Amino acid sequence: MLRPALRNVLAHKARLMMTALAVLLGVAFVSGTLVFADTTATAFRNASAKSLKGVAVSVRAEGDPATPAGEEEGQRTTSLDAALARKIRALPGVASVRPTVNGEATLAAKNGRPVNAGNDSQNLATNYLRDKDGKDSHFPLKEGRGPAAEGELALDAKTAEKAGYRLGDTVRFATDGPALTKKLVGIVTTDDPQVTAGGTLTLFDTETAQKLFRHPGQFDEIAVAAQDGTDERALTDQVRTLLPGKGVRATSGADLAAEQSAQIAENTQSLTKTLLVFAGIALFVGVFLIANTFTMLIAQRSREIALMRAVGASRRQVVRSVLIEAALLGLVASAAGFALGLGIATVLRPLLNTTGAGLPDGPLVITPAAPLSSLAVGVVVTVLAAWLPSRKAAKIAPVAVLSSVDQAPHARALVVRNVLGTLLTAAGVLVMFYVSTLTTSTESHLMTAMLGGVLTLLGVIVLAPLLSRPLITLAGRATTRWFGVSGKLAKENALRNPRRTAATASALMIGLALITGLTVGGHSAQRAMDGEATQGLAADYKVTNSTARGLDADAAGKVARVPGVAAAAPVTSAGLDTRGRYAVITGTDPKAFGEAARLDFQAGTLDDIGPGRIAVSDEFAEQAGLHVGGTIDAELGSGTDSGTDTGTASGTNPGTGTGKNTGTDTGKARKKLSVVGIYTRTRAADDALGTLSDVLPYSTSSQELENVLVKAETGQAPGLERKIRAALGDSPLLKVRSQEQLVKENNGPFTTVLNMMYGLLGMAVIIAILGVVNTLAMSVFERTREIGMLRAIGLDRTGIKQMVRLESVVISLFGAALGIGTGIFLAWAGGSLMTTSMPLYETVLPWGSLGVFLVLALVIGVLAAIWPARRAARLNMLHAMQSA
């Protein structure tokens, strides 16, 4: 049966083209994802291997104590010092040691704007360690020389270009406080993935780096290189005997490489799974197109198949012939899809890096598993989609003489299908109604919501033939009224085979259902996030520090003296424990806060707040049983050492370590506080509100301000940002954001992910469009004689084109109606899971976007019909009437 299968593929090249495109796009998504995953993992491993090259042992400082009282905030204490480095260097088998200091330095560009402000993990800083030749082999020089004095620094080439600096320029930067300046004396190159993906790298001489981030003579990591023939693990054991104990860890190079390899696999696995899910959606949509195509081809070749049966072909051979045909189609399309997938894999890395993914550069990596998996997926999906049509082909009787190639489905088969569809839809709807009562987004609840969504979609797909008749009949009334005979014929053609119409519309329905659900959920979430970002704020600007360190206690006073500022409210917070309830109390200047924030008081006013007198939110008052006039015995402050050392030295490239310890010990104190007011809780004021003097000594930001809310005088808000920055020293760490910027920053990552998901789901819609084109083109072929007779009795070419276009539009609108309706329902039911993380979340329908989707369906219908309509109109009348 291979020969007839191959002949059929070659004979129906044009009719199989759209099916091949669907397989091609789906496989391209799969292959692109697999190649991208292999490429990214290999690039990470290569970067790790380069950084670990020559490292036999890595000694790291971990969990060091917090900064002792009275010392500079930017300096941290470690147990790694120059004496330990000398002891390690004296061990037998040690070739060299490389002690490094790591931190963060946020640069100001030459135009004054911060570079990567607020993203400390990518603002890397380390020491430039000179070798015997006076250069640092880890950071090859491109221009100039390495920093050698306190007033000098070097930058990597990409950072210098991004910030607009050249050799000899004065560079402004900040580590954990006021702005500093140093002269740029060198420009280096680096293969650190964080830097190549958009981060910055600043290099200081060792003494300066220690002053900025540690203490003289102290380091974050000591990388040990071994002499040839030295046993790495034995050397590691020797190094461990020299360590001071707590807070220091020695790891062999092999173990460090294994740890990093496992971390890389974990980091890339989730992204790969996500992309493969969307690839699966695209392939699932393609199944409808493939099944539809083979069903129509078999109907067109029913006489041929009957003759094959008559000359001795068994049912099994007929099935085998169709499946071989599908496998050949899948193989060719999959091969082309794999080639296209290489292009997708190439553009994914720079695309994701625009969102701050931090993926390293590297060559495209194609492992044998990627092409084999892609070909297998394409062939298996195509063969499975053709299996039911092949069974239908096998049932054609040898003596069948068909007068029509398009018979109506058997009534009993549709009854079974309708019953199954009703059961699936009912089960899915019931599950989603149950989900709508949930208010927490645990993993089990999310899985339940996914199950309900899948059951609902499958149910609607199975019920689509039943739903097609009333919906298409309704649409047909409009087409008949507006377009006359062409509109009526279009309606009848769409209703002629409800299974085919439903399968074509279902492909579009799936794509639009997912996009609609995403749009409704995303729009509702963005509305909630917009409200939360500025909830309770009347201020024009919010001033914060981009590091864990807060603002100086007198920052609000400095801002208040800026011309054009009406009020500057200092804000800090501390823990408050009373009556077995833990809460957060906000400390501020009540008078200034009243102008910078909007609070709705149910009892009392802001003026009532003073030393020892607080207001509480309605939620906290209810939980703790508080009322105006009552007194509480509260415990303020955390009373624990919250220090955490986030140092993550790479072992090879010291620039990857942050070396930051945010430890603070606020202490605890018991105070009697009077409740003088109750207000509606907002983001601007948490559970309780008191004076700055009551809260600041116990604040979570080490007796510093968390932010300053600035209210501008009428008409003075524009341009006030620069004045505020200047008043506070214009440190690159300062963030002065308007309400619009707060909303944008709050929504930025969410919007980026949302747009990526739109793009991924767009693939499913493209495949659905191909399905409409293919169905119409093959339908025109089936109705060749009918079209010839219509032409003979007076329907002109314009009427034929109009008939095909209207049929396409009706099918597309049917799919859009099902998709949009299903998507809205799923978004509404699943939205309840968002209320835990977004208290302001409520389902809001984006009517404009939904209208765009309907118009898009209309446009899809018109565009999909261009080629089939022209083909139908150009048929020769006499030849068409003579066709079999």
Side-chain angles (χ1 to χ4, degrees), residues 162-193:
K162 186 191 306 183
Y165 287 121
R166 296 183 179 180
L167 285 180
D169 287 344
T170 298
V171 178
R172 278 199 324 113
F173 68 96
T175 57
D176 203 13
L180 304 172
T181 58
K182 294 187 187 297
K183 183 179 178 181
L184 179 62
V185 297
I187 295 177
V188 304
T189 60
T190 179
D191 53 11
D192 188 308

PDB file of all heavy atoms in Angstrom, residues 162-193:
ATOM      1  N   LYS A 162      26.794  51.465  27.127  1.00  0.00           N
ATOM      2  CA  LYS A 162      25.419  51.731  27.557  1.00  0.00           C
ATOM      3  C   LYS A 162      25.316  53.046  28.330  1.00  0.00           C
ATOM      4  O   LYS A 162      24.374  53.816  28.157  1.00  0.00           O
ATOM      5  CB  LYS A 162      24.925  50.577  28.424  1.00  0.00           C
ATOM      6  CG  LYS A 162      23.460  50.672  28.824  1.00  0.00           C
ATOM      7  CD  LYS A 162      23.115  49.649  29.904  1.00  0.00           C
ATOM      8  CE  LYS A 162      23.480  48.246  29.506  1.00  0.00           C
ATOM      9  NZ  LYS A 162      23.086  47.247  30.538  1.00  0.00           N
ATOM     10  N   ALA A 163      26.311  53.308  29.190  1.00  0.00           N
ATOM     11  CA  ALA A 163      26.268  54.504  30.023  1.00  0.00           C
ATOM     12  C   ALA A 163      26.849  55.731  29.329  1.00  0.00           C
ATOM     13  O   ALA A 163      26.700  56.852  29.829  1.00  0.00           O
ATOM     14  CB  ALA A 163      27.025  54.255  31.329  1.00  0.00           C
ATOM     15  N   GLY A 164      27.520  55.519  28.185  1.00  0.00           N
ATOM     16  CA  GLY A 164      28.063  56.656  27.439  1.00  0.00           C
ATOM     17  C   GLY A 164      29.399  57.157  27.947  1.00  0.00           C
ATOM     18  O   GLY A 164      29.759  58.322  27.716  1.00  0.00           O
ATOM     19  N   TYR A 165      30.158  56.289  28.646  1.00  0.00           N
ATOM     20  CA  TYR A 165      31.442  56.721  29.213  1.00  0.00           C
ATOM     21  C   TYR A 165      32.607  56.332  28.306  1.00  0.00           C
ATOM     22  O   TYR A 165      32.578  55.302  27.633  1.00  0.00           O
ATOM     23  CB  TYR A 165      31.660  56.095  30.590  1.00  0.00           C
ATOM     24  CG  TYR A 165      30.799  56.684  31.682  1.00  0.00           C
ATOM     25  CD1 TYR A 165      29.913  55.887  32.399  1.00  0.00           C
ATOM     26  CD2 TYR A 165      30.884  58.032  32.001  1.00  0.00           C
ATOM     27  CE1 TYR A 165      29.120  56.421  33.408  1.00  0.00           C
ATOM     28  CE2 TYR A 165      30.102  58.586  33.005  1.00  0.00           C
ATOM     29  CZ  TYR A 165      29.221  57.771  33.698  1.00  0.00           C
ATOM     30  OH  TYR A 165      28.452  58.309  34.688  1.00  0.00           O
ATOM     31  N   ARG A 166      33.667  57.178  28.345  1.00  0.00           N
ATOM     32  CA  ARG A 166      34.925  56.896  27.676  1.00  0.00           C
ATOM     33  C   ARG A 166      36.066  57.027  28.679  1.00  0.00           C
ATOM     34  O   ARG A 166      35.889  57.582  29.758  1.00  0.00           O
ATOM     35  CB  ARG A 166      35.139  57.860  26.507  1.00  0.00           C
ATOM     36  CG  ARG A 166      34.110  57.710  25.396  1.00  0.00           C
ATOM     37  CD  ARG A 166      34.432  58.646  24.251  1.00  0.00           C
ATOM     38  NE  ARG A 166      33.461  58.509  23.153  1.00  0.00           N
ATOM     39  CZ  ARG A 166      33.517  59.218  22.020  1.00  0.00           C
ATOM     40  NH1 ARG A 166      34.485  60.112  21.855  1.00  0.00           N
ATOM     41  NH2 ARG A 166      32.605  59.022  21.081  1.00  0.00           N
ATOM     42  N   LEU A 167      37.226  56.504  28.298  1.00  0.00           N
ATOM     43  CA  LEU A 167      38.391  56.599  29.179  1.00  0.00           C
ATOM     44  C   LEU A 167      38.619  58.047  29.592  1.00  0.00           C
ATOM     45  O   LEU A 167      38.537  58.965  28.770  1.00  0.00           O
ATOM     46  CB  LEU A 167      39.638  56.054  28.487  1.00  0.00           C
ATOM     47  CG  LEU A 167      39.758  54.531  28.348  1.00  0.00           C
ATOM     48  CD1 LEU A 167      41.064  54.167  27.645  1.00  0.00           C
ATOM     49  CD2 LEU A 167      39.683  53.852  29.701  1.00  0.00           C
ATOM     50  N   GLY A 168      38.898  58.238  30.876  1.00  0.00           N
ATOM     51  CA  GLY A 168      39.160  59.567  31.398  1.00  0.00           C
ATOM     52  C   GLY A 168      37.938  60.257  31.966  1.00  0.00           C
ATOM     53  O   GLY A 168      38.060  61.269  32.674  1.00  0.00           O
ATOM     54  N   ASP A 169      36.732  59.733  31.679  1.00  0.00           N
ATOM     55  CA  ASP A 169      35.510  60.341  32.210  1.00  0.00           C
ATOM     56  C   ASP A 169      35.386  60.082  33.708  1.00  0.00           C
ATOM     57  O   ASP A 169      35.914  59.099  34.248  1.00  0.00           O
ATOM     58  CB  ASP A 169      34.277  59.773  31.507  1.00  0.00           C
ATOM     59  CG  ASP A 169      34.129  60.297  30.090  1.00  0.00           C
ATOM     60  OD1 ASP A 169      34.781  61.302  29.773  1.00  0.00           O
ATOM     61  OD2 ASP A 169      33.364  59.686  29.314  1.00  0.00           O
ATOM     62  N   THR A 170      34.656  60.965  34.373  1.00  0.00           N
ATOM     63  CA  THR A 170      34.337  60.768  35.782  1.00  0.00           C
ATOM     64  C   THR A 170      33.019  60.015  35.879  1.00  0.00           C
ATOM     65  O   THR A 170      31.993  60.467  35.341  1.00  0.00           O
ATOM     66  CB  THR A 170      34.224  62.113  36.518  1.00  0.00           C
ATOM     67  OG1 THR A 170      35.498  62.782  36.448  1.00  0.00           O
ATOM     68  CG2 THR A 170      33.856  61.903  37.977  1.00  0.00           C
ATOM     69  N   VAL A 171      33.027  58.872  36.548  1.00  0.00           N
ATOM     70  CA  VAL A 171      31.857  57.998  36.638  1.00  0.00           C
ATOM     71  C   VAL A 171      31.186  58.196  37.994  1.00  0.00           C
ATOM     72  O   VAL A 171      31.853  58.134  39.036  1.00  0.00           O
ATOM     73  CB  VAL A 171      32.260  56.519  36.468  1.00  0.00           C
ATOM     74  CG1 VAL A 171      31.043  55.613  36.601  1.00  0.00           C
ATOM     75  CG2 VAL A 171      32.939  56.320  35.118  1.00  0.00           C
ATOM     76  N   ARG A 172      29.873  58.450  37.961  1.00  0.00           N
ATOM     77  CA  ARG A 172      29.106  58.540  39.204  1.00  0.00           C
ATOM     78  C   ARG A 172      28.441  57.196  39.467  1.00  0.00           C
ATOM     79  O   ARG A 172      27.875  56.575  38.562  1.00  0.00           O
ATOM     80  CB  ARG A 172      28.024  59.626  39.108  1.00  0.00           C
ATOM     81  CG  ARG A 172      28.534  61.002  39.373  1.00  0.00           C
ATOM     82  CD  ARG A 172      27.443  62.008  39.732  1.00  0.00           C
ATOM     83  NE  ARG A 172      26.198  61.814  39.037  1.00  0.00           N
ATOM     84  CZ  ARG A 172      25.063  61.438  39.633  1.00  0.00           C
ATOM     85  NH1 ARG A 172      25.034  61.211  40.930  1.00  0.00           N
ATOM     86  NH2 ARG A 172      23.970  61.293  38.927  1.00  0.00           N
ATOM     87  N   PHE A 173      28.485  56.752  40.734  1.00  0.00           N
ATOM     88  CA  PHE A 173      27.871  55.479  41.094  1.00  0.00           C
ATOM     89  C   PHE A 173      27.522  55.509  42.573  1.00  0.00           C
ATOM     90  O   PHE A 173      27.913  56.419  43.319  1.00  0.00           O
ATOM     91  CB  PHE A 173      28.810  54.302  40.789  1.00  0.00           C
ATOM     92  CG  PHE A 173      30.033  54.264  41.674  1.00  0.00           C
ATOM     93  CD1 PHE A 173      30.071  53.481  42.817  1.00  0.00           C
ATOM     94  CD2 PHE A 173      31.145  55.046  41.375  1.00  0.00           C
ATOM     95  CE1 PHE A 173      31.181  53.458  43.639  1.00  0.00           C
ATOM     96  CE2 PHE A 173      32.265  55.029  42.190  1.00  0.00           C
ATOM     97  CZ  PHE A 173      32.284  54.225  43.328  1.00  0.00           C
ATOM     98  N   ALA A 174      26.788  54.515  43.007  1.00  0.00           N
ATOM     99  CA  ALA A 174      26.458  54.366  44.426  1.00  0.00           C
ATOM    100  C   ALA A 174      26.438  52.889  44.754  1.00  0.00           C
ATOM    101  O   ALA A 174      26.028  52.056  43.933  1.00  0.00           O
ATOM    102  CB  ALA A 174      25.108  55.002  44.735  1.00  0.00           C
ATOM    103  N   THR A 175      26.892  52.553  45.958  1.00  0.00           N
ATOM    104  CA  THR A 175      26.880  51.160  46.392  1.00  0.00           C
ATOM    105  C   THR A 175      25.738  50.914  47.370  1.00  0.00           C
ATOM    106  O   THR A 175      24.913  50.040  47.165  1.00  0.00           O
ATOM    107  CB  THR A 175      28.218  50.786  47.043  1.00  0.00           C
ATOM    108  OG1 THR A 175      28.472  51.674  48.144  1.00  0.00           O
ATOM    109  CG2 THR A 175      29.352  50.878  46.041  1.00  0.00           C
ATOM    110  N   ASP A 176      25.685  51.675  48.430  1.00  0.00           N
ATOM    111  CA  ASP A 176      24.609  51.501  49.407  1.00  0.00           C
ATOM    112  C   ASP A 176      24.362  52.809  50.159  1.00  0.00           C
ATOM    113  O   ASP A 176      24.016  52.806  51.333  1.00  0.00           O
ATOM    114  CB  ASP A 176      24.979  50.395  50.401  1.00  0.00           C
ATOM    115  CG  ASP A 176      23.740  49.806  51.055  1.00  0.00           C
ATOM    116  OD1 ASP A 176      22.634  50.078  50.572  1.00  0.00           O
ATOM    117  OD2 ASP A 176      23.881  49.088  52.060  1.00  0.00           O
ATOM    118  N   GLY A 177      24.590  53.911  49.471  1.00  0.00           N
ATOM    119  CA  GLY A 177      24.440  55.199  50.130  1.00  0.00           C
ATOM    120  C   GLY A 177      24.559  56.335  49.143  1.00  0.00           C
ATOM    121  O   GLY A 177      24.073  56.240  48.020  1.00  0.00           O
ATOM    122  N   PRO A 178      25.224  57.429  49.523  1.00  0.00           N
ATOM    123  CA  PRO A 178      25.329  58.607  48.653  1.00  0.00           C
ATOM    124  C   PRO A 178      26.101  58.293  47.374  1.00  0.00           C
ATOM    125  O   PRO A 178      26.833  57.298  47.284  1.00  0.00           O
ATOM    126  CB  PRO A 178      26.075  59.631  49.518  1.00  0.00           C
ATOM    127  CG  PRO A 178      25.940  59.130  50.923  1.00  0.00           C
ATOM    128  CD  PRO A 178      25.860  57.645  50.831  1.00  0.00           C
ATOM    129  N   ALA A 179      25.976  59.186  46.412  1.00  0.00           N
ATOM    130  CA  ALA A 179      26.681  59.018  45.145  1.00  0.00           C
ATOM    131  C   ALA A 179      28.172  59.242  45.347  1.00  0.00           C
ATOM    132  O   ALA A 179      28.607  60.107  46.115  1.00  0.00           O
ATOM    133  CB  ALA A 179      26.141  59.991  44.110  1.00  0.00           C
ATOM    134  N   LEU A 180      28.986  58.451  44.659  1.00  0.00           N
ATOM    135  CA  LEU A 180      30.439  58.561  44.678  1.00  0.00           C
ATOM    136  C   LEU A 180      30.927  58.803  43.258  1.00  0.00           C
ATOM    137  O   LEU A 180      30.204  58.534  42.286  1.00  0.00           O
ATOM    138  CB  LEU A 180      31.069  57.277  45.232  1.00  0.00           C
ATOM    139  CG  LEU A 180      30.611  56.826  46.619  1.00  0.00           C
ATOM    140  CD1 LEU A 180      31.170  55.439  46.934  1.00  0.00           C
ATOM    141  CD2 LEU A 180      31.033  57.826  47.685  1.00  0.00           C
ATOM    142  N   THR A 181      32.132  59.294  43.110  1.00  0.00           N
ATOM    143  CA  THR A 181      32.698  59.511  41.777  1.00  0.00           C
ATOM    144  C   THR A 181      34.117  58.968  41.726  1.00  0.00           C
ATOM    145  O   THR A 181      34.880  59.077  42.697  1.00  0.00           O
ATOM    146  CB  THR A 181      32.731  61.014  41.413  1.00  0.00           C
ATOM    147  OG1 THR A 181      33.499  61.721  42.392  1.00  0.00           O
ATOM    148  CG2 THR A 181      31.325  61.584  41.357  1.00  0.00           C
ATOM    149  N   LYS A 182      34.455  58.369  40.604  1.00  0.00           N
ATOM    150  CA  LYS A 182      35.817  57.887  40.363  1.00  0.00           C
ATOM    151  C   LYS A 182      36.124  58.025  38.875  1.00  0.00           C
ATOM    152  O   LYS A 182      35.209  58.086  38.037  1.00  0.00           O
ATOM    153  CB  LYS A 182      35.977  56.432  40.814  1.00  0.00           C
ATOM    154  CG  LYS A 182      35.831  56.235  42.331  1.00  0.00           C
ATOM    155  CD  LYS A 182      36.151  54.828  42.758  1.00  0.00           C
ATOM    156  CE  LYS A 182      35.847  54.617  44.232  1.00  0.00           C
ATOM    157  NZ  LYS A 182      36.659  55.468  45.117  1.00  0.00           N
ATOM    158  N   LYS A 183      37.402  58.008  38.543  1.00  0.00           N
ATOM    159  CA  LYS A 183      37.839  58.179  37.169  1.00  0.00           C
ATOM    160  C   LYS A 183      37.890  56.831  36.447  1.00  0.00           C
ATOM    161  O   LYS A 183      38.379  55.837  36.998  1.00  0.00           O
ATOM    162  CB  LYS A 183      39.226  58.826  37.149  1.00  0.00           C
ATOM    163  CG  LYS A 183      39.747  59.125  35.753  1.00  0.00           C
ATOM    164  CD  LYS A 183      41.120  59.782  35.826  1.00  0.00           C
ATOM    165  CE  LYS A 183      41.683  60.057  34.436  1.00  0.00           C
ATOM    166  NZ  LYS A 183      43.036  60.666  34.504  1.00  0.00           N
ATOM    167  N   LEU A 184      37.392  56.803  35.223  1.00  0.00           N
ATOM    168  CA  LEU A 184      37.414  55.583  34.400  1.00  0.00           C
ATOM    169  C   LEU A 184      38.791  55.457  33.758  1.00  0.00           C
ATOM    170  O   LEU A 184      39.164  56.270  32.898  1.00  0.00           O
ATOM    171  CB  LEU A 184      36.320  55.643  33.325  1.00  0.00           C
ATOM    172  CG  LEU A 184      36.246  54.452  32.376  1.00  0.00           C
ATOM    173  CD1 LEU A 184      35.941  53.164  33.145  1.00  0.00           C
ATOM    174  CD2 LEU A 184      35.182  54.680  31.302  1.00  0.00           C
ATOM    175  N   VAL A 185      39.537  54.418  34.173  1.00  0.00           N
ATOM    176  CA  VAL A 185      40.901  54.246  33.651  1.00  0.00           C
ATOM    177  C   VAL A 185      41.041  53.013  32.762  1.00  0.00           C
ATOM    178  O   VAL A 185      42.082  52.835  32.120  1.00  0.00           O
ATOM    179  CB  VAL A 185      41.914  54.146  34.807  1.00  0.00           C
ATOM    180  CG1 VAL A 185      41.928  55.436  35.616  1.00  0.00           C
ATOM    181  CG2 VAL A 185      41.614  52.944  35.705  1.00  0.00           C
ATOM    182  N   GLY A 186      40.022  52.154  32.736  1.00  0.00           N
ATOM    183  CA  GLY A 186      40.138  50.943  31.927  1.00  0.00           C
ATOM    184  C   GLY A 186      38.797  50.408  31.482  1.00  0.00           C
ATOM    185  O   GLY A 186      37.780  50.596  32.154  1.00  0.00           O
ATOM    186  N   ILE A 187      38.808  49.773  30.326  1.00  0.00           N
ATOM    187  CA  ILE A 187      37.615  49.106  29.798  1.00  0.00           C
ATOM    188  C   ILE A 187      38.000  47.667  29.500  1.00  0.00           C
ATOM    189  O   ILE A 187      38.990  47.408  28.792  1.00  0.00           O
ATOM    190  CB  ILE A 187      37.090  49.800  28.531  1.00  0.00           C
ATOM    191  CG1 ILE A 187      36.594  51.226  28.874  1.00  0.00           C
ATOM    192  CG2 ILE A 187      35.963  49.001  27.900  1.00  0.00           C
ATOM    193  CD1 ILE A 187      36.115  52.013  27.681  1.00  0.00           C
ATOM    194  N   VAL A 188      37.232  46.714  30.059  1.00  0.00           N
ATOM    195  CA  VAL A 188      37.575  45.301  29.957  1.00  0.00           C
ATOM    196  C   VAL A 188      36.488  44.558  29.196  1.00  0.00           C
ATOM    197  O   VAL A 188      35.423  45.105  28.895  1.00  0.00           O
ATOM    198  CB  VAL A 188      37.756  44.674  31.358  1.00  0.00           C
ATOM    199  CG1 VAL A 188      38.799  45.427  32.149  1.00  0.00           C
ATOM    200  CG2 VAL A 188      36.420  44.649  32.110  1.00  0.00           C
ATOM    201  N   THR A 189      36.765  43.302  28.905  1.00  0.00           N
ATOM    202  CA  THR A 189      35.762  42.407  28.336  1.00  0.00           C
ATOM    203  C   THR A 189      35.481  41.296  29.343  1.00  0.00           C
ATOM    204  O   THR A 189      36.335  40.969  30.164  1.00  0.00           O
ATOM    205  CB  THR A 189      36.240  41.799  27.009  1.00  0.00           C
ATOM    206  OG1 THR A 189      37.442  41.058  27.244  1.00  0.00           O
ATOM    207  CG2 THR A 189      36.509  42.880  25.981  1.00  0.00           C
ATOM    208  N   THR A 190      34.287  40.725  29.253  1.00  0.00           N
ATOM    209  CA  THR A 190      33.914  39.640  30.156  1.00  0.00           C
ATOM    210  C   THR A 190      32.871  38.755  29.489  1.00  0.00           C
ATOM    211  O   THR A 190      32.102  39.234  28.647  1.00  0.00           O
ATOM    212  CB  THR A 190      33.355  40.177  31.488  1.00  0.00           C
ATOM    213  OG1 THR A 190      32.991  39.082  32.335  1.00  0.00           O
ATOM    214  CG2 THR A 190      32.119  41.023  31.257  1.00  0.00           C
ATOM    215  N   ASP A 191      32.883  37.476  29.869  1.00  0.00           N
ATOM    216  CA  ASP A 191      31.865  36.555  29.366  1.00  0.00           C
ATOM    217  C   ASP A 191      30.869  36.192  30.458  1.00  0.00           C
ATOM    218  O   ASP A 191      30.134  35.209  30.339  1.00  0.00           O
ATOM    219  CB  ASP A 191      32.504  35.289  28.789  1.00  0.00           C
ATOM    220  CG  ASP A 191      33.457  34.625  29.789  1.00  0.00           C
ATOM    221  OD1 ASP A 191      33.454  35.015  30.979  1.00  0.00           O
ATOM    222  OD2 ASP A 191      34.208  33.721  29.387  1.00  0.00           O
ATOM    223  N   ASP A 192      30.822  36.965  31.526  1.00  0.00           N
ATOM    224  CA  ASP A 192      29.853  36.731  32.594  1.00  0.00           C
ATOM    225  C   ASP A 192      28.447  36.821  31.995  1.00  0.00           C
ATOM    226  O   ASP A 192      28.079  37.848  31.406  1.00  0.00           O
ATOM    227  CB  ASP A 192      30.021  37.784  33.693  1.00  0.00           C
ATOM    228  CG  ASP A 192      29.173  37.467  34.912  1.00  0.00           C
ATOM    229  OD1 ASP A 192      27.968  37.238  34.740  1.00  0.00           O
ATOM    230  OD2 ASP A 192      29.726  37.454  36.031  1.00  0.00           O
ATOM    231  N   PRO A 193      27.617  35.772  32.122  1.00  0.00           N
ATOM    232  CA  PRO A 193      26.289  35.786  31.483  1.00  0.00           C
ATOM    233  C   PRO A 193      25.384  36.898  31.978  1.00  0.00           C
ATOM    234  O   PRO A 193      24.568  37.413  31.223  1.00  0.00           O
ATOM    235  CB  PRO A 193      25.715  34.402  31.840  1.00  0.00           C
ATOM    236  CG  PRO A 193      26.541  33.910  32.987  1.00  0.00           C
ATOM    237  CD  PRO A 193      27.887  34.511  32.806  1.00  0.00           C
TER     238      PRO A 193
END
